[in-house]
Amino acid sequence: MATDSTAGKPSFLRNILARVLLLGVLIVVVRFAYVVTIAGESCTVGEFCFFSLPENLNIVAGTAASTANKAVRVAPAAGHTRPDIYTSKDWIKAVHFYSSTFQRLISDGFLSPNSKSLCVETPIGQDVFALKEIGVKDSKGVYKKASKPLVIGAKGNRLPFDNETFDFVFSGGGAFDKVSRPLDLASEIARTMKPEGFVVVHTRAAKDTYSFNSLIDLFNSCKVIRSREIDNYDSLMPSIREIVLQKKRKFLDHREEEVSGGNSVNKCSVPGHKRELVRNAEPLIIEEPLKPWITLKRNVQKVKYLPSMADISFRNRYVYVDVGARSYGSSIGSWFRKQYPKQNRTFDVYAIEADRTFHEEYKLKKRVTLLPYAAWVRNETLKFEINRDPGQDVQDKGRGMGRIQPVAKSDRTFEGEMDEIDGFDFADWLKKTVTKRDFVVMKMDVEGTEFDLIPRLFETGAICFIDELFLECHYNRWQRCCPGERSPKYEKTYDQCLDLFTSLRKSGVLVHQWW
């Protein structure tokens, strides 16, 4: 009996040691699984792992369907400060959505596993991860701030890739809507994409014809293949528009196009989406008002501003030109800054005013460029008349509304103040200052010179650069001071002004009768 008891002790100890060893191995395995698949880390810093993994090893699910049901993780670069982002529900939902999206694009022939792919404006790279997940291994993302290993740091207007590098470029999450200079990014996408490659843009804008065409115009090297509404994963943005474009074999660069636009061919055709805005504008006042200072001022409340009818996203710059600006508070400060619906866009403002009385105050105004000359049809010296209606009070330090005329043709007598000023070719300046991809708003109050400037804008094609025009037309209106008498300042009639407005609208220009 004693012999049997002694023989059983080593066997019991071996069992205990085996169980302890098995428990230790189990703890190591559980810890390893947690570090790699749950925490999203690699075993490179002694985190209870006994070997290291490559930094770029991803433990992923095999299909888009399983991605939604499993914890999808990516091993971030060493020193990553937000490992929890790869375990969030938003990350998993986004990856599942993009995986499904890319699989549909593969089925439709716009993407393949062999495509060299780029995702732009992607902060953390869910779309890049999804591409790799479905087998498009040669994929990378760019954003202004790097998020390794999926996203490298790069500015949208200077992508660090050679010409004709990618077969497929993707912009998701409405990111293109937020870009401050979308033309720069579109140009870089076109530069780095191979001929016949595909661009896919997901946008929450581009839902009206104006903004849709504004977006398409940015990609002058591409043709539209498809545009449709699709369901989105984000509850704040339940649907999104997916636009598929394909790069043409031969195309005109944006810079070449703008240069050629200023040559001999000055005619331009107004597209249908702009004519649609004109049809939806407030009606013109057909009958001459007996009290224009009341009727026209009230009509301002009925004006349908372009940004109230359409989304003005996807324009390269936003520009306001005030021709005949007078003082800063006359229209820039009192109306445009406070009342014009800008859709949170920042506008570059140009004030064109020949009267020296108002020049000094503009030196203190930010984001306002003063052109201290008279808008005219050519570069020449002009006479600037300071005049007033009968009974008009003295205003603006003794200055009245001034008219301009060439010195050589100024043979009529004029009793009052007169200055010699520099006039400049306004149409030529406009074509050199803005492009057709800018959003240009203009107010024109030039004391009758509109009958010279408007034909010149048509003649040169500069009219096509203007998206919205607020025009005060000057005619021999009834005077407030003297019932039954018309103003002697202007020779044109109300019917001639109406003809001017009508011809502008028939030509597709969104013009408003202004006061």
Side-chain angles (χ1 to χ4, degrees):
M1 295 296 293
T3 302
D4 294 339
S5 175
T6 303
K9 287 182 179 180
S11 177
F12 174 79
L13 291 174
R14 281 196 300 271
N15 290 338
I16 294 297
L17 290 173
R19 292 184 181 184
V20 170
L21 181 60
L22 183 62
L23 179 62
V25 171
L26 181 61
I27 291 174
V28 170
V29 170
V30 170
R31 174 60 177 166
F32 171 79
Y34 171 80
V35 169
V36 175
T37 65
I38 303 300
E41 299 287 350
S42 61
C43 297
T44 58
V45 289
E47 297 188 65
F48 205 38
C49 296
F50 298 126
F51 57 91
S52 296
L53 293 175
E55 182 182 86
N56 61 349
L57 177 64
N58 295 338
I59 308 300
V60 299
T63 66
S66 63
T67 300
N69 300 320
K70 296 183 180 181
V72 181
R73 308 293 173 251
V74 58
H80 201 290
T81 59
R82 299 187 299 166
D84 59 312
I85 197 170
Y86 302 110
T87 68
S88 68
K89 290 182 179 179
D90 288 341
W91 170 270
I92 297 172
K93 285 171 61 178
V95 170
H96 175 51
F97 168 75
Y98 287 128
S99 296
S100 300
T101 297
F102 294 139
Q103 285 181 331
R104 286 196 302 269
L105 292 171
I106 288 177
S107 299
D108 295 337
F110 305 132
L111 177 65
S112 77
N114 297 323
S115 296
K116 191 175 181 65
S117 303
L118 175 69
C119 298
V120 297
E121 296 298 307
T122 174
I124 56 177
Q126 302 105 314
D127 41 6
V128 182
F129 183 83
L131 282 168
K132 293 178 178 292
E133 166 77 358
I134 65 171
V136 186
K137 298 301 182 182
D138 194 355
S139 303
K140 52 178 63 70
V142 292
Y143 189 62
K144 58 185 177 182
K145 185 178 181 180
S147 182
K148 295 181 179 180
L150 298 174
V151 181
I152 64 174
K155 294 182 179 180
N157 62 349
R158 192 176 299 174
L159 298 179
F161 308 110
D162 294 334
N163 295 347
E164 301 183 0
T165 297
F166 299 102
D167 304 290
F168 178 84
V169 180
F170 179 73
S171 173
F176 219 96
D177 310 353
K178 307 167 189 174
V179 177
S180 59
R181 297 297 290 268
L183 179 59
D184 293 344
L185 177 57
S187 298
E188 279 295 275
I189 290 174
R191 179 186 66 79
T192 57
M193 194 167 62
K194 297 177 182 178
E196 299 189 334
F198 292 96
V199 182
V200 176
V201 177
H202 282 185
T203 172
R204 58 186 139 189
K207 293 186 176 181
D208 58 80
T209 56
Y210 184 88
S211 58
F212 175 81
N213 282 278
S214 296
L215 174 58
I216 300 307
D217 286 345
L218 297 175
F219 294 91
N220 70 325
S221 64
C222 300
K223 60 182 178 181
V224 179
I225 302 298
R226 184 173 74 191
S227 175
R228 64 180 182 178
E229 288 284 326
I230 62 173
D231 293 333
N232 191 31
Y233 73 93
D234 189 348
S235 60
L236 299 177
M237 190 168 45
S239 66
I240 200 165
R241 177 163 291 277
E242 180 181 82
I243 302 173
V244 181
L245 306 104
Q246 185 178 30
K247 184 176 178 179
K248 304 171 187 175
R249 280 187 173 275
K250 294 182 179 181
F251 68 96
L252 189 64
D253 183 80
H254 282 297
R255 290 177 293 273
E256 296 173 2
E257 183 183 27
E258 297 304 338
V259 171
S260 64
N263 290 338
S264 57
V265 180
N266 292 317
K267 301 296 182 182
C268 67
S269 59
V270 178
H273 64 275
K274 285 192 174 183
R275 293 185 180 275
E276 180 183 348
L277 293 173
V278 174
R279 289 193 293 269
N280 294 332
E282 76 282 355
L284 297 173
I285 300 173
I286 304 300
E287 296 294 330
E288 179 183 356
L290 295 177
K291 296 182 179 180
W293 57 90
I294 296 177
T295 304
L296 293 176
K297 197 168 185 177
R298 286 177 178 173
N299 189 59
V300 172
Q301 306 302 321
K302 300 177 182 179
V303 167
K304 292 185 178 180
Y305 297 102
L306 192 157
S308 68
M309 297 188 286
D311 189 334
I312 60 173
S313 300
F314 311 124
R315 306 312 294 267
N316 190 47
R317 290 171 63 215
Y318 298 85
V319 179
Y320 172 62
V321 182
D322 197 322
V323 191
R326 306 289 289 168
S327 67
Y328 176 82
S330 179
S331 55
I332 297 175
S334 62
W335 167 68
F336 183 76
R337 294 287 199 200
K338 296 180 179 180
Q339 299 181 37
Y340 188 81
K342 305 175 192 64
Q343 295 186 7
N344 294 321
R345 306 291 175 175
T346 300
F347 280 71
D348 296 326
V349 177
Y350 293 90
I352 301 175
E353 177 53 56
D355 195 333
R356 299 183 182 90
T357 304
F358 307 108
H359 293 175
E360 191 66 27
E361 66 173 303
Y362 281 102
K363 294 179 180 179
L364 303 176
K365 303 302 178 184
K366 296 181 179 179
R367 296 191 68 88
V368 178
T369 301
L370 172 67
L371 278 72
Y373 316 109
W376 187 233
V377 297
R378 65 185 70 87
N379 298 326
E380 65 177 342
T381 301
L382 302 170
K383 283 189 175 181
F384 184 74
E385 300 176 353
I386 309 300
N387 49 32
R388 303 180 183 86
D389 281 329
Q392 179 182 354
D393 293 334
V394 175
Q395 297 175 348
D396 298 322
K397 300 179 182 180
R399 310 293 284 190
M401 299 295 185
R403 293 185 298 176
I404 61 174
Q405 55 181 302
V407 172
K409 296 182 180 180
S410 181
D411 52 1
R412 71 183 183 89
T413 58
F414 173 75
E415 295 181 1
E417 298 176 67
M418 182 175 292
D419 286 337
E420 281 197 359
I421 57 172
D422 293 325
F424 71 105
D425 189 334
F426 173 66
D428 181 66
W429 170 85
L430 186 65
K431 293 180 69 174
K432 292 177 179 177
T433 304
V434 301
T435 74
K436 292 180 181 178
R437 289 176 180 81
D438 296 332
F439 182 76
V440 180
V441 183
M442 183 180 297
K443 187 226 77 180
M444 184 179 289
D445 177 7
V446 287
E447 302 299 309
T449 309
E450 61 270 15
F451 287 97
D452 298 290
L453 293 181
I454 297 297
R456 173 67 176 166
L457 290 173
F458 274 103
E459 175 190 337
T460 60
I463 194 71
C464 303
F465 291 72
I466 303 171
D467 290 271
E468 190 167 21
L469 174 61
F470 298 86
L471 175 63
E472 180 175 348
C473 188
H474 298 80
Y475 65 98
N476 58 344
R477 63 179 62 183
W478 299 110
Q479 297 185 69
R480 187 186 311 191
C481 70
C482 316
E485 294 186 21
R486 291 185 178 273
S487 170
K489 286 171 56 177
Y490 309 108
E491 299 176 354
K492 302 296 184 182
T493 65
Y494 186 81
D495 286 342
Q496 288 175 299
C497 281
L498 188 61
D499 288 342
L500 183 61
F501 283 109
T502 303
S503 66
L504 281 165
R505 287 198 173 182
K506 284 184 177 179
S507 299
V509 180
L510 181 59
V511 63
H512 308 282
Q513 289 170 301
W514 204 239
W515 172 254

